[in-house]
Amino acid sequence: MQLSNCYNPVSILILSLAFAGPSAAAAPDRITRPVNLNQTRALSGHLRSLAQPQFDRGPVDPALHMDYMLLVVQPSAAQQAELDGLLAGQQNPSSSLYHQWLTPEEFGNRFGLSPADHSKVVAWLTSQGLAVKESGRGRNWIAFSGDAGQVSRALQTPIDRFQAGGQTHYANTVDPSVPEALADVIGGFIGLDDFHLQSFVRRVSPDYNSGSSHYLAPADFATIYDIGPLYQAGIDGTGQNIAVVGESDVPISDIRSFRTRFGLPANDPKMVLYGGADPGYTSSQIEGDLDLEWAGAVAPKATIYYIYGADALTAIVAAVSLNVAPLITVSYGGCEIGWRLGYWRTIAQQANAQGITILNSSGDSGAAGCDPQGDMPFAAAGRMVDFPAVLPEVTAVGGTQFVEGTGTYWASTNSSSLGSALSYIPEAAWNESGSAGLGSSGGGASLLYAKPVWQTGPGVPNDNARDVPDIALSAAGHDAYSVTYSGSNILVYGTSASSPSMAGILALLSHYQVSKGFQKQPGLGNINPQLYRLAQSAPSAFHDITAGSNVVNCAQGSPDCLTGSFGYQAGPGYDLAAGLGSVDANNLVTLWNTGTDAVTVSLYVNTAKATLNDTVGMTATVAAATATGTPTGTVDFGVNGVKLGSSPLRPIGGQQEADLFFPAYLMGSTGTFTLVAQYPGDTAFSGGGATKSIQVTVPSGAAAIVPSAPDTVWPSPPDAQGLSWQ
């Protein structure tokens, strides 16, 4: 890491120490066999969609320097189960784990490599002539460099040049292989190619206040989204940190000019160059300007860190390991199926475990996430959502557009801070697709990730898939955002603007939470569970977007193109075009703790010991822990993480109860099992759960027929004491 602008270099030195922080490593050794270079295993999922034979132009120069690649560690099954339980508990007000964030070192001691295993992986890399540059503080990645010849030999994959999309790239041509002894701990590699995520930002011609179109100044945004009352109450982001990731240098002069122009206090971002060589000024500079200027405009007193380098994804990894900001905003994305490796979710989960919220633009191609915005008027790659917005640990921010109609929403002159908006303006889902190309709010259902337990509520599709976006803000060229770029005032649009603006709002939320004593320190973690609770318990926190769509025209004969177009209409409640809607910032912040009343869940089992021929009865009671009121809904019952069934709560003897009876043979074998009752919560109460152990034996003097256990596996929500599905 390289730093400037008064950032403390001591923080970065920690990163070069594999085991800084707590020294007691709880992670067990997992590499138990000698590393035999002649026994290898390929790691699937590392081939880029554009690295196809027809684009191949032959091997790269073996001396090509490949800088700052990452070997990413995958947790063991036991570690992942524990992590799932921790993450659920951190967002469950009924759990003792609620908002108990970890440091990167604590994360590493529980979910990373053991010191001995870390040393073995480093030894293998160096034995191949590769230079180890750095280790993540969570002991879950190792940065290394080498030339293409060394990488090709070490990972048994050729590195070739490709001519695709009008650009020259390099990439591996087969999946990399690693020694068999290491294959269970290595999740994969980052940086074996130079195909990167793409920025979503787009420019429009600077016709200020032309006809029915206006440009957005920070004062306009504050008026439209009801931020003014927060500023008046002194909530301005003081004491909060936001990390912006990027792929280009950004001149400080741009940020200073923007803030001076709009009357914002001086507040330079802290520039953090991660990893390899400085990328210099690239085409992504405009994205960096936008994100830094607007995150800081919405939260004018927050400290903004710009973590940048050659690749935005590696910048995300660095931001999580640095742990300098509990908010990370990302305005880059790519087709979901091109980034399917599981370690990305582990990185996002590490961020959440540390109390970090990750925001990502949902994309600008409507329901066609694999088709680049603005390039063609027709989608050709089918329905798809964008990565990393699709990760359940990331909050996907979609786009809206203002629909003034015949209303008067803009003043005829600007204020001293160049604002002219008079009030909230009705919104529709953003869709400006046309002959110039695709331009619409990214949204749809994931092909890779199941629906999280928290993604419920009116309008949420019953599709067993992670749906995006979660929320939305203005993204249309109709009323574009003003940005200072290379000394000039320009206008930009797209969900690239929505994400950093929402990061600013969340910085205000965090400031409010700390200043009012709801939290001792900043950090919201994965905000998605509370967003969906809040949509039901305090709907005034959102502007429900019921008009518009993200429908795009598609090329005849292309995937999913049955009627000439595909996509989703906005509608009441949640929808796949604008999510839960846009936000009323004042209501979102002041009502944030609504619907988080804790519950106490108790579980009773009719026996502590059973044979495979017995029937087991489970009864759960759910009661308000501190507040008044009655929890409603259902209780889910399971055993060792496998769902058995659900039962509705009903009043019995002055309390709320639910029960389930099942044959013991459904447990699949004999031994000790953990029975679980999980209450998911309702609009007023948070979830909670409880567990009991049961011992199952073979019936004496009889043969028992033991069928296969059910295969519907639940996520890992914790109980009221922080226990999790086993």
Side-chain angles (χ1 to χ4, degrees):
M1 303 285 175
Q2 302 175 37
L3 301 122
S4 60
N5 199 33
C6 302
Y7 187 66
N8 182 5
V10 174
S11 299
I12 301 304
L13 291 179
I14 297 176
L15 281 175
S16 65
L17 303 175
F19 313 117
S23 58
D29 293 341
R30 297 166 56 196
I31 303 173
T32 59
R33 293 174 290 167
V35 177
N36 185 336
L37 301 181
N38 295 319
Q39 296 178 350
T40 61
R41 184 196 306 174
L43 304 179
S44 62
H46 287 77
L47 301 181
R48 292 287 173 231
S49 60
L50 290 178
Q52 299 175 13
Q54 64 266 35
F55 304 135
D56 198 325
R57 299 297 180 263
V60 300
D61 183 343
L64 171 71
H65 186 61
M66 298 175 66
D67 197 19
Y68 211 75
M69 295 163 282
L70 297 184
L71 178 156
V72 186
V73 174
Q74 64 180 357
S76 67
Q79 286 175 318
Q80 186 62 58
E82 182 184 354
L83 177 57
D84 290 343
L86 170 69
L87 292 169
Q90 287 177 327
Q91 291 300 335
N92 184 350
S94 295
S95 171
S96 61
L97 299 175
Y98 185 60
H99 284 188
Q100 298 298 306
W101 313 124
L102 304 183
T103 66
E105 290 75 23
E106 290 170 336
F107 183 90
N109 285 343
R110 294 176 63 178
F111 309 114
L113 285 179
S114 70
D117 286 350
H118 183 276
S119 297
K120 291 176 183 177
V121 176
V122 168
W124 168 65
L125 288 171
T126 56
S127 73
Q128 302 304 297
L130 302 169
V132 172
K133 311 293 287 186
E134 187 176 5
S135 291
R137 292 168 63 184
R139 291 208 302 274
N140 56 347
W141 57 264
I142 300 168
F144 65 97
S145 300
D147 60 44
Q150 292 170 320
V151 173
S152 181
R153 288 189 297 273
L155 302 182
Q156 301 177 18
T157 176
I159 307 295
D160 283 11
R161 291 179 296 110
F162 293 86
Q163 191 71 34
Q167 297 179 324
T168 300
H169 294 274
Y170 67 83
N172 54 297
T173 62
V174 299
D175 281 318
S177 293
V178 300
E180 181 74 31
L182 306 178
D184 289 337
V185 303
I186 298 177
F189 296 89
I190 303 171
L192 301 184
D193 61 77
D194 65 349
F195 288 98
H196 302 315
L197 297 181
Q198 299 299 306
S199 162
F200 292 127
V201 68
R202 295 294 185 274
R203 293 180 64 168
V204 293
S205 58
D207 295 330
Y208 303 119
N209 295 342
S210 174
S212 62
S213 297
H214 297 75
Y215 75 87
L216 285 178
D220 296 319
F221 190 92
T223 296
I224 294 167
Y225 289 116
D226 198 21
I227 303 176
L230 297 174
Y231 293 155
Q232 294 166 14
I235 304 301
D236 54 14
T238 298
Q240 311 306 308
N241 296 344
I242 302 172
V244 170
V245 302
E247 294 182 347
S248 173
D249 288 359
V250 171
I252 292 293
S253 59
D254 279 354
I255 313 304
R256 292 173 177 171
S257 295
F258 176 87
R259 296 183 73 88
T260 298
R261 182 181 184 221
F262 291 111
L264 299 168
N267 187 4
D268 288 350
K270 299 185 182 298
M271 315 300 280
V272 182
L273 173 63
Y274 75 86
D278 191 325
Y281 292 101
T282 73
S283 61
S284 294
Q285 180 197 330
I286 189 172
E287 184 67 72
D289 277 320
L290 163 63
D291 296 356
L292 290 170
E293 290 166 9
W294 274 88
V298 178
K301 293 291 186 69
T303 298
I304 313 295
Y305 290 86
Y306 185 51
I307 301 178
Y308 69 104
D311 177 41
L313 280 176
T314 312
I316 297 173
V317 178
V320 173
S321 190
L322 282 168
N323 204 36
V324 294
L327 292 166
I328 299 175
T329 176
V330 184
S331 293
Y332 298 78
C335 178
E336 175 188 21
I337 60 173
W339 308 88
R340 64 177 67 207
L341 288 170
Y343 59 64
W344 285 118
R345 189 171 187 186
T346 303
I347 295 295
Q349 289 177 332
Q350 178 188 355
N352 290 171
Q354 294 171 192
I356 295 173
T357 304
I358 302 178
L359 297 158
N360 183 216
S361 310
S362 71
D364 292 1
S365 301
C370 288
D371 289 281
Q373 186 263 6
D375 281 10
M376 296 290 290
F378 298 99
R383 295 177 188 255
M384 194 65 60
V385 296
D386 278 295
F387 167 90
V390 68
L391 294 174
E393 293 74 24
V394 172
T395 299
V397 189
T400 68
Q401 62 188 70
F402 299 128
V403 184
E404 288 92 340
T406 59
T408 302
Y409 297 102
W410 301 93
S412 58
T413 59
N414 287 333
S415 68
S416 60
S417 57
L418 305 185
S420 60
L422 299 174
S423 67
Y424 172 71
I425 304 173
E427 296 168 278
W430 169 46
N431 197 336
E432 293 176 309
S433 298
S435 59
L438 304 179
S440 181
S441 177
S446 170
L447 294 180
L448 302 179
Y449 299 99
K451 189 176 298 298
V453 293
W454 42 259
Q455 193 165 37
T456 61
V460 175
N462 184 23
D463 54 8
N464 195 33
R466 160 68 165 138
D467 293 315
V468 295
D470 296 302
I471 49 178
L473 291 173
S474 177
H478 175 266
D479 299 292
Y481 290 71
S482 181
V483 167
T484 301
Y485 168 64
S486 292
S488 299
N489 298 322
I490 68 169
L491 295 178
V492 303
Y493 69 106
T495 55
S496 269
S498 308
S499 182
S501 301
M502 189 64 203
I505 291 174
L506 292 183
L508 303 180
L509 168 60
S510 183
H511 183 185
Y512 179 88
Q513 288 289 100
V514 173
S515 67
K516 298 299 183 182
F518 294 113
Q519 294 180 207
K520 294 182 179 179
Q521 60 186 7
L524 301 167
N526 187 353
I527 65 169
N528 293 340
Q530 182 56 10
L531 285 177
Y532 285 84
R533 280 195 293 251
L534 202 63
Q536 298 180 65
S537 60
S540 64
F542 302 89
H543 304 294
D544 190 8
I545 309 301
T546 60
S549 74
N550 65 358
V551 174
V552 295
N553 292 331
C554 52
Q556 185 175 359
S558 63
D560 300 318
C561 192
L562 301 178
T563 61
S565 65
F566 59 74
Y568 307 95
Q569 298 288 333
Y574 179 89
D575 57 70
L576 294 169
L580 296 169
S582 67
V583 300
D584 180 302
N586 184 57
N587 289 348
L588 180 80
V589 168
T590 57
L591 298 175
W592 183 253
N593 300 299
T594 304
T596 59
D597 291 335
V599 297
T600 299
V601 179
S602 301
L603 176 61
Y604 304 93
V605 181
N606 64 348
T607 180
K609 296 181 179 180
T611 72
L612 290 169
N613 289 344
D614 291 336
T615 296
V616 179
M618 304 167 66
T619 298
T621 63
V622 182
T626 56
T628 58
T630 302
T632 60
T634 61
V635 174
D636 300 322
F637 294 93
V639 56
N640 280 26
V642 178
K643 186 174 182 178
L644 293 169
S646 301
S647 296
L649 284 170
R650 61 195 187 285
I652 296 181
Q655 60 185 3
Q656 295 294 100
E657 289 188 1
D659 51 36
L660 182 78
F661 295 86
F662 68 95
Y665 67 71
L666 287 180
M667 291 186 238
S669 63
T670 60
T672 301
F673 296 85
T674 300
L675 301 176
V676 185
Q678 180 65 33
Y679 173 63
D682 60 16
T683 59
F685 291 92
S686 63
T691 64
K692 286 285 187 180
S693 294
I694 185 172
Q695 186 177 1
V696 179
T697 61
V698 175
S700 59
I705 299 175
V706 184
S708 299
D711 58 4
T712 302
V713 179
W714 279 348
S716 304
D719 67 10
Q721 290 75 43
L723 299 173
S724 64
W725 303 109
Q726 302 297 312

